[in-house]
mmCIF file with all atom_site columns, all heavy atoms in Angstrom:
data_model
loop_
_atom_site.group_PDB
_atom_site.id
_atom_site.type_symbol
_atom_site.label_atom_id
_atom_site.label_alt_id
_atom_site.label_comp_id
_atom_site.label_asym_id
_atom_site.label_entity_id
_atom_site.label_seq_id
_atom_site.pdbx_PDB_ins_code
_atom_site.Cartn_x
_atom_site.Cartn_y
_atom_site.Cartn_z
_atom_site.occupancy
_atom_site.B_iso_or_equiv
_atom_site.pdbx_formal_charge
_atom_site.auth_seq_id
_atom_site.auth_comp_id
_atom_site.auth_asym_id
_atom_site.auth_atom_id
_atom_site.pdbx_PDB_model_num
ATOM 1  N N   . GLU A 1 31  ? -1.525  -28.405 20.196 1.00 92.00 ? 31  GLU A N   1
ATOM 2  C CA  . GLU A 1 31  ? -1.734  -27.993 21.583 1.00 92.00 ? 31  GLU A CA  1
ATOM 3  C C   . GLU A 1 31  ? -2.454  -29.096 22.344 1.00 92.00 ? 31  GLU A C   1
ATOM 4  O O   . GLU A 1 31  ? -3.438  -29.647 21.856 1.00 92.00 ? 31  GLU A O   1
ATOM 5  C CB  . GLU A 1 31  ? -2.552  -26.705 21.647 1.00 92.00 ? 31  GLU A CB  1
ATOM 6  C CG  . GLU A 1 31  ? -2.804  -26.221 23.077 1.00 92.00 ? 31  GLU A CG  1
ATOM 7  C CD  . GLU A 1 31  ? -3.696  -25.003 23.115 1.00 92.00 ? 31  GLU A CD  1
ATOM 8  O OE1 . GLU A 1 31  ? -4.680  -24.956 22.345 1.00 92.00 ? 31  GLU A OE1 1
ATOM 9  O OE2 . GLU A 1 31  ? -3.417  -24.092 23.906 1.00 92.00 ? 31  GLU A OE2 1
ATOM 10 N N   . SER A 1 136 ? -19.414 -10.360 -4.916 1.00 78.00 ? 136 SER A N   1
ATOM 11 C CA  . SER A 1 136 ? -20.665 -10.785 -4.278 1.00 78.00 ? 136 SER A CA  1
ATOM 12 C C   . SER A 1 136 ? -20.613 -12.239 -3.850 1.00 78.00 ? 136 SER A C   1
ATOM 13 O O   . SER A 1 136 ? -21.430 -12.687 -3.053 1.00 78.00 ? 136 SER A O   1
ATOM 14 C CB  . SER A 1 136 ? -21.840 -10.572 -5.235 1.00 78.00 ? 136 SER A CB  1
ATOM 15 O OG  . SER A 1 136 ? -21.630 -11.286 -6.437 1.00 78.00 ? 136 SER A OG  1
ATOM 16 N N   . GLY A 1 152 ? -11.241 5.430   -0.186 1.00 98.00 ? 152 GLY A N   1
ATOM 17 C CA  . GLY A 1 152 ? -10.584 6.135   0.906  1.00 98.00 ? 152 GLY A CA  1
ATOM 18 C C   . GLY A 1 152 ? -9.591  7.136   0.346  1.00 98.00 ? 152 GLY A C   1
ATOM 19 O O   . GLY A 1 152 ? -8.868  6.835   -0.604 1.00 98.00 ? 152 GLY A O   1
ATOM 20 N N   . ASP A 1 156 ? -1.993  15.096  3.428  1.00 92.00 ? 156 ASP A N   1
ATOM 21 C CA  . ASP A 1 156 ? -1.179  15.606  4.528  1.00 92.00 ? 156 ASP A CA  1
ATOM 22 C C   . ASP A 1 156 ? -0.932  17.094  4.334  1.00 92.00 ? 156 ASP A C   1
ATOM 23 O O   . ASP A 1 156 ? -0.302  17.505  3.365  1.00 92.00 ? 156 ASP A O   1
ATOM 24 C CB  . ASP A 1 156 ? 0.152   14.853  4.577  1.00 92.00 ? 156 ASP A CB  1
ATOM 25 C CG  . ASP A 1 156 ? 0.964   15.180  5.823  1.00 92.00 ? 156 ASP A CG  1
ATOM 26 O OD1 . ASP A 1 156 ? 0.630   16.166  6.502  1.00 92.00 ? 156 ASP A OD1 1
ATOM 27 O OD2 . ASP A 1 156 ? 1.928   14.456  6.113  1.00 92.00 ? 156 ASP A OD2 1
ATOM 28 N N   . TYR A 1 166 ? -15.609 5.984   2.307  1.00 97.00 ? 166 TYR A N   1
ATOM 29 C CA  . TYR A 1 166 ? -16.991 5.690   1.899  1.00 97.00 ? 166 TYR A CA  1
ATOM 30 C C   . TYR A 1 166 ? -17.108 4.210   1.548  1.00 97.00 ? 166 TYR A C   1
ATOM 31 O O   . TYR A 1 166 ? -16.187 3.614   0.972  1.00 97.00 ? 166 TYR A O   1
ATOM 32 C CB  . TYR A 1 166 ? -17.394 6.522   0.676  1.00 97.00 ? 166 TYR A CB  1
ATOM 33 C CG  . TYR A 1 166 ? -18.664 6.028   0.018  1.00 97.00 ? 166 TYR A CG  1
ATOM 34 C CD1 . TYR A 1 166 ? -19.917 6.293   0.581  1.00 97.00 ? 166 TYR A CD1 1
ATOM 35 C CD2 . TYR A 1 166 ? -18.613 5.264   -1.155 1.00 97.00 ? 166 TYR A CD2 1
ATOM 36 C CE1 . TYR A 1 166 ? -21.081 5.822   -0.018 1.00 97.00 ? 166 TYR A CE1 1
ATOM 37 C CE2 . TYR A 1 166 ? -19.771 4.786   -1.750 1.00 97.00 ? 166 TYR A CE2 1
ATOM 38 C CZ  . TYR A 1 166 ? -21.002 5.071   -1.184 1.00 97.00 ? 166 TYR A CZ  1
ATOM 39 O OH  . TYR A 1 166 ? -22.148 4.599   -1.764 1.00 97.00 ? 166 TYR A OH  1
ATOM 40 N N   . ALA A 1 171 ? -19.166 -4.311  4.616  1.00 87.00 ? 171 ALA A N   1
ATOM 41 C CA  . ALA A 1 171 ? -17.873 -4.809  4.164  1.00 87.00 ? 171 ALA A CA  1
ATOM 42 C C   . ALA A 1 171 ? -17.889 -6.316  3.975  1.00 87.00 ? 171 ALA A C   1
ATOM 43 O O   . ALA A 1 171 ? -17.233 -6.850  3.083  1.00 87.00 ? 171 ALA A O   1
ATOM 44 C CB  . ALA A 1 171 ? -16.779 -4.414  5.147  1.00 87.00 ? 171 ALA A CB  1
ATOM 45 N N   . MET A 1 190 ? -21.977 3.880   4.515  1.00 94.00 ? 190 MET A N   1
ATOM 46 C CA  . MET A 1 190 ? -21.273 4.533   5.619  1.00 94.00 ? 190 MET A CA  1
ATOM 47 C C   . MET A 1 190 ? -20.177 5.457   5.089  1.00 94.00 ? 190 MET A C   1
ATOM 48 O O   . MET A 1 190 ? -19.474 5.135   4.129  1.00 94.00 ? 190 MET A O   1
ATOM 49 C CB  . MET A 1 190 ? -20.661 3.490   6.548  1.00 94.00 ? 190 MET A CB  1
ATOM 50 C CG  . MET A 1 190 ? -19.810 4.081   7.673  1.00 94.00 ? 190 MET A CG  1
ATOM 51 S SD  . MET A 1 190 ? -19.144 2.820   8.779  1.00 94.00 ? 190 MET A SD  1
ATOM 52 C CE  . MET A 1 190 ? -20.555 2.558   9.848  1.00 94.00 ? 190 MET A CE  1
ATOM 53 N N   . VAL A 1 211 ? -22.945 6.972   10.974 1.00 90.00 ? 211 VAL A N   1
ATOM 54 C CA  . VAL A 1 211 ? -23.857 6.161   11.776 1.00 90.00 ? 211 VAL A CA  1
ATOM 55 C C   . VAL A 1 211 ? -23.899 6.639   13.218 1.00 90.00 ? 211 VAL A C   1
ATOM 56 O O   . VAL A 1 211 ? -24.965 6.747   13.830 1.00 90.00 ? 211 VAL A O   1
ATOM 57 C CB  . VAL A 1 211 ? -23.454 4.671   11.716 1.00 90.00 ? 211 VAL A CB  1
ATOM 58 C CG1 . VAL A 1 211 ? -24.341 3.838   12.628 1.00 90.00 ? 211 VAL A CG1 1
ATOM 59 C CG2 . VAL A 1 211 ? -23.528 4.167   10.284 1.00 90.00 ? 211 VAL A CG2 1
ATOM 60 N N   . THR A 1 278 ? 6.852   -15.536 31.583 1.00 96.00 ? 278 THR A N   1
ATOM 61 C CA  . THR A 1 278 ? 5.987   -14.400 31.896 1.00 96.00 ? 278 THR A CA  1
ATOM 62 C C   . THR A 1 278 ? 4.978   -14.799 32.965 1.00 96.00 ? 278 THR A C   1
ATOM 63 O O   . THR A 1 278 ? 4.492   -15.924 32.995 1.00 96.00 ? 278 THR A O   1
ATOM 64 C CB  . THR A 1 278 ? 5.220   -13.899 30.661 1.00 96.00 ? 278 THR A CB  1
ATOM 65 O OG1 . THR A 1 278 ? 4.380   -14.943 30.166 1.00 96.00 ? 278 THR A OG1 1
ATOM 66 C CG2 . THR A 1 278 ? 6.181   -13.461 29.568 1.00 96.00 ? 278 THR A CG2 1
ATOM 67 N N   . SER A 1 312 ? -1.720  -25.931 29.381 1.00 94.00 ? 312 SER A N   1
ATOM 68 C CA  . SER A 1 312 ? -1.555  -26.428 28.025 1.00 94.00 ? 312 SER A CA  1
ATOM 69 C C   . SER A 1 312 ? -0.099  -26.485 27.639 1.00 94.00 ? 312 SER A C   1
ATOM 70 O O   . SER A 1 312 ? 0.746   -25.715 28.129 1.00 94.00 ? 312 SER A O   1
ATOM 71 C CB  . SER A 1 312 ? -2.310  -25.539 27.025 1.00 94.00 ? 312 SER A CB  1
ATOM 72 O OG  . SER A 1 312 ? -1.766  -24.233 27.017 1.00 94.00 ? 312 SER A OG  1
#
Side-chain angles (χ1 to χ4, degrees):
E31 180 184 41
S136 58
D156 189 346
Y166 166 77
M190 175 178 278
V211 176
T278 61
S312 64

